[in-house]
Amino acid sequence: MNHRHTPEFDLQETLSENRLIGLWRMMRGFRLPYVGATLALGLAAVSKTATYLLIQYLIDDVLGGGLLNLLPWVALGFLGLALFEGAFTFLSGRWAAFTAEGIARRLRNYLFDHIQRLSFSYHDRTQTGELLQRATSDVEAINRFFLQQATGVGRIVLLFAINFAAIAYINVQLAFLSVVSLPLLWVMSYYFFTRIEKAYEAYQEQEARLSATLQENLSGVRVVKAFARQQFEIDKFGAENKEKYRRGMRLLLMHSLYWPVSDIVAGMQMLGGFLAGALMALNGIITVGDYLAFSGMVIWIIWPMRNLGRLIVQASTALVSYNRVSEIIREDREPMEAGDHLPDGDVRGEIVFENVHFAYEDGTEVLHNINFHVQPGQVIALMGSTGSGKTSLVNLLPRFYEYTGGRILLDGVELKRYPRKYLRSQIGIVEQEPFLFSRTIRENIAYGVGRQVTDEEVYQAARAAAIHDVILSFPEGYNTLVGERGVTLSGGQKQRVAIARTLLKDPRILILDDATSSVDTETEAAIRAALERLMEGRTTFIIAHRIQTVMHADAILVFNKGHIVQQGTHEELLKDEDGIYRRIYEVQARIEVELEREIASVGG
Ligand code: DCP
Ligand code: MG
């Protein structure tokens, strides 16, 4: 049964428009224990029915017929049946738990794996809180379905069939009298089923909204505090919470209407059955023993009838959750391996952009007609105002997003033909807002290398990123935890840890997206000196705002509103008196001069 946990189990293939079929397919690999659980419940039910038949035998034949010497055997029979029932009830519980927890575990693992393989565009448009809620609360509802409802249905059908047959064995008329209200109960259950399904759907939606609000508020807690917007956020949360309360009340109202109504119907049915049975016994149609056995067994007909309705109603929540979870499963993953051009070794790093256009999913173009040519090992600097498309451009290289027009060639081959996995192994990005995990600094730096690295390698990368000494100054050095459970790093320190992480990966193409923006000029110079050696032989893209950072690049691309408005070396660009580059240069030079004068006056 080992195949249950292998990643090859593709839930996407199990999806079905019919939710019950989908759930059934989701059980693959767990059907045997499920059938076992249901059968064990059925056997427990049989022993209960047998107990009632034994009562009938005891009263009519043993006591009534004077076979008193059989009494010890009958007593032994009762004991045996009780043990039998207990054992199978226990087994059934174990197998049901095994089934439900196993399916839920596999589902959670699948979702975790799946969510991180979805495209950047998917994550751009999906709220984290929403995903969290589906991966937890909705999975729980599906778990409950398998734990209680799926085996419950099997048990109920068995209980019903066995006891119905046993009563029919006593008296057929009585058996049919015991189930006359069945259709009424089911029609009622169906009515509530549809109502509760809608109410639950609305409730889950609101819960997701609430969890998204909470998640966003927690991520942005610094902004909230800085702008003293606590009250505004509390009100916003309060409003969402109130709506959840309202929808929760509505859902519970549906439930609390259903139970008493179905109890009344079931109660009337039971009373009617008892009366009919009593009349038959009085008129001698059935024996007293028959009647006692019947009154025990009829409960086990009514109970399943009422509970089948209850299960159907409860299953509505699982069906809603199934829909919500399958919406995630249905999303296609980024095909990491797709691509017909897989070089044996590393790329050389020659990159050509030919009339490249790019738009995000909303359709507005953010890059227009981009053309440039990078030789292997060159350093390319990207400058330009905020929102001009620099990050968007470099994100095309590892195929985080697909360009919408023109061609990008890497070593003469169109980028679309390379598998994403290969590209990402060749390209290292230091993101504009680097993210560090709540793990040790060492783990953060060694992240993504994909092999064991020595301490010396980690130190080397850290030295190159000018962060080694800072790390050593922490109480636990490289074993210091980062983030919520450990030290809080400054923006510049985080950037440098991220640079070290990327350098250790040793990529052929290096992308530094504003990687030194939070670093002071002096530290930046240190990093630059170290990088100079590291950039040798690899194609490097540097996005930066300081002239000092970009002036030594082999080519500088100046962006404005998604267009390249200037390109060339520092000297070439300076010649253009009216160019943006020249203007930026002059402004920055003036600031430098004034700064120096200021420092001199303070010093003097
Ligand atoms: N954009 C978008 N969807 C995204 C990311 C960006 O629609 N997932 C838009 C916002 C901008 C445009 O694309 O209008 C260009 O954004 P960039 O992030 O590429 O801009 P820059 O990197 O040049 O700006 P900055 O210097 O602020 O980093
Ligand atoms: Mg950017």
Side-chain angles (χ1 to χ4, degrees):
M1 277 202 234
N2 244 341
H3 60 276
R4 278 197 320 272
H5 305 304
T6 53
E8 294 107 67
F9 184 79
D10 186 358
L11 277 170
Q12 227 171 10
E13 288 169 8
T14 71
L15 291 179
S16 166
E17 279 306 307
N18 184 322
R19 295 171 294 181
L20 283 175
I21 293 181
L23 283 164
W24 169 248
R25 290 192 189 147
M26 200 179 262
M27 285 177 77
R28 214 170 72 198
F30 285 97
R31 287 178 193 148
L32 204 62
Y34 164 71
V35 171
T38 311
L39 281 182
L41 270 180
L43 285 173
V46 171
S47 66
K48 197 179 279 308
T49 309
T51 309
Y52 296 122
L53 292 176
L54 198 58
I55 291 177
Q56 182 229 19
Y57 179 70
L58 172 72
I59 291 177
D60 286 351
D61 298 329
V62 180
L63 299 179
L67 303 170
L68 289 181
N69 58 331
L70 284 180
L71 261 182
W73 294 108
V74 172
L76 213 60
F78 278 122
L79 188 67
L81 284 172
L83 283 177
F84 188 86
E85 187 191 348
F88 279 98
T89 307
F90 173 77
L91 268 184
S92 164
R94 295 300 301 154
W95 283 333
F98 179 78
T99 308
E101 294 298 333
I103 295 173
R105 169 183 166 202
R106 184 170 68 186
L107 179 60
R108 271 192 297 269
N109 273 342
Y110 184 87
L111 284 176
F112 184 81
D113 182 43
H114 188 67
I115 286 171
Q116 55 186 339
R117 288 173 197 273
L118 295 175
S119 67
F120 277 68
S121 334
Y122 178 79
H123 287 289
D124 283 348
R125 67 180 137 88
T126 312
Q127 285 182 309
T128 315
E130 174 86 41
L131 284 178
L132 273 178
Q133 205 253 353
R134 291 184 189 212
T136 53
S137 166
D138 285 316
V139 171
E140 277 321 301
I142 293 176
N143 186 354
R144 271 199 309 279
F145 173 80
F146 287 116
L147 189 65
Q148 296 162 5
Q149 293 138 39
T151 44
V153 169
R155 177 182 192 205
I156 281 167
V157 170
L158 275 169
L159 271 176
F160 183 85
I162 291 165
N163 286 292
F164 185 79
I167 296 178
Y169 163 76
I170 293 173
N171 187 297
V172 178
Q173 247 183 323
L174 196 55
F176 281 102
L177 276 175
S178 310
V179 297
V180 279
S181 65
L182 197 77
L184 176 65
L185 208 57
W186 283 10
V187 168
M188 243 179 52
S189 300
Y190 185 74
Y191 172 80
F192 278 98
F193 167 81
T194 52
R195 289 299 168 99
I196 288 180
E197 184 178 10
K198 279 208 194 75
Y200 178 73
E201 196 167 357
Y203 179 78
Q204 284 297 85
E205 260 168 33
Q206 187 58 25
E207 187 174 297
R209 212 164 292 145
L210 196 69
S211 108
T213 308
L214 183 64
Q215 188 268 338
E216 196 178 60
N217 186 271
L218 290 178
S219 317
V221 69
R222 285 183 181 77
V223 182
V224 176
K225 284 180 184 292
F227 286 86
R229 293 286 276 175
Q230 283 95 335
Q231 195 52 49
F232 172 81
E233 293 296 332
I234 290 169
D235 291 345
K236 185 165 174 259
F237 185 81
E240 299 284 11
N241 201 12
K242 187 174 168 196
E243 180 62 19
K244 180 180 170 185
Y245 170 83
R246 215 181 55 77
R247 294 184 184 189
M249 290 299 280
R250 196 182 139 65
L251 179 63
L252 288 177
L253 173 70
M254 283 293 149
H255 275 288
S256 40
L257 276 177
Y258 174 69
W259 302 136
V261 173
S262 70
D263 276 345
I264 289 171
V265 175
M268 297 296 280
Q269 169 69 69
M270 194 134 51
L271 199 64
F274 282 150
L275 277 177
L279 281 176
M280 284 181 172
L282 283 178
N283 292 325
I285 302 173
I286 56 174
T287 65
V288 177
D290 283 342
Y291 179 67
L292 280 178
F294 161 76
S295 57
M297 291 188 292
V298 75
I299 297 173
W300 296 98
I301 285 192
I302 307 290
W303 180 87
M305 270 173 14
R306 176 177 170 282
N307 275 270
L308 190 61
R310 180 190 198 133
L311 283 186
I312 291 173
V313 167
Q314 281 174 345
S316 63
T317 61
L319 296 183
V320 169
S321 288
Y322 175 79
N323 266 358
R324 294 169 54 81
V325 167
S326 52
E327 266 170 31
I328 300 178
I329 298 176
R330 193 167 293 124
E331 289 289 331
D332 283 322
R333 299 176 175 193
E334 252 187 323
M336 295 299 287
E337 320 279 350
D340 62 351
H341 184 74
L342 180 61
D344 285 333
D346 291 331
V347 293
R348 285 185 299 118
E350 183 199 13
I351 293 167
V352 181
F353 273 61
E354 279 178 15
N355 307 321
V356 171
H357 292 258
F358 173 62
Y360 285 103
E361 271 195 350
D362 63 5
T364 37
E365 212 171 84
V366 295
L367 290 173
H368 320 283
N369 207 31
I370 303 293
N371 287 286
F372 65 89
H373 192 149
V374 187
Q375 297 297 342
Q378 279 194 329
V379 176
I380 302 297
L382 278 64
M383 278 191 108
S385 54
T386 171
S388 56
K390 306 178 295 294
T391 300
S392 304
L393 184 142
V394 293
N395 278 345
L396 297 179
L397 294 171
R399 292 185 67 189
F400 289 162
Y401 299 90
E402 297 294 320
Y403 45 100
T404 42
R407 299 204 294 169
I408 301 176
L409 303 177
L410 172 61
D411 293 351
V413 177
E414 186 154 6
L415 206 60
K416 285 177 179 165
R417 294 181 51 201
Y418 288 92
R420 289 178 178 78
K421 191 170 177 187
Y422 175 75
L423 285 177
R424 289 175 198 176
S425 73
Q426 297 292 307
I427 300 175
I429 292 199
V430 180
E431 304 259 354
Q432 194 161 7
E433 291 151 23
F435 177 85
L436 300 183
F437 294 96
S438 302
R439 301 173 193 171
T440 66
I441 294 186
R442 190 189 187 284
E443 282 175 288
N444 268 292
I445 295 179
Y447 188 84
V449 185
R451 60 177 168 88
Q452 285 293 317
V453 284
T454 65
D455 286 343
E456 195 42 52
E457 284 177 286
V458 173
Y459 300 161
Q460 230 172 2
R463 277 195 206 101
I467 186 78
H468 181 67
D469 294 332
V470 179
I471 297 173
L472 287 186
S473 75
F474 293 143
E476 288 173 76
Y478 278 85
N479 292 324
T480 308
L481 284 173
V482 180
E484 279 145 19
R485 290 182 299 142
V487 294
T488 310
L489 298 183
S490 74
Q493 288 167 341
K494 260 194 218 164
Q495 282 191 329
R496 283 180 283 161
V497 171
I499 292 176
R501 168 165 77 194
T502 306
L503 292 180
L504 190 58
K505 187 180 164 190
D506 194 23
R508 302 319 300 159
I509 298 172
L510 185 61
I511 298 172
L512 305 167
D513 190 351
D514 239 354
T516 50
S517 60
S518 313
V519 171
D520 60 283
T521 340
E522 225 166 293
T523 313
E524 195 201 344
I527 296 177
R528 206 161 53 226
L531 278 181
E532 220 107 282
R533 271 185 295 119
L534 285 156
M535 289 188 308
E536 253 166 54
R538 45 184 120 223
T539 309
T540 309
F541 288 81
I542 298 183
I543 300 179
H545 293 286
R546 288 185 199 138
I547 294 284
Q548 280 167 319
T549 317
V550 303
M551 61 189 289
H552 300 293
D554 295 299
I556 301 167
L557 310 178
V558 183
F559 280 79
N560 190 21
K561 295 181 184 146
H563 295 275
I564 295 183
V565 286
Q566 277 185 299
Q567 62 175 300
T569 61
H570 177 67
E571 285 72 27
E572 286 166 5
L573 293 183
L574 276 188
K575 286 193 195 118
D576 185 353
E577 302 263 334
D578 306 320
I580 299 183
Y581 189 80
R582 174 78 188 228
R583 284 213 305 277
I584 300 171
Y585 175 76
E586 280 169 358
V587 170
Q588 291 194 4
R590 203 163 51 232
I591 293 173
E592 289 280 306
V593 170
E594 269 171 31
L595 210 61
E596 254 161 54
R597 204 179 293 145
E598 199 70 15
I599 291 168
S601 75
V602 172

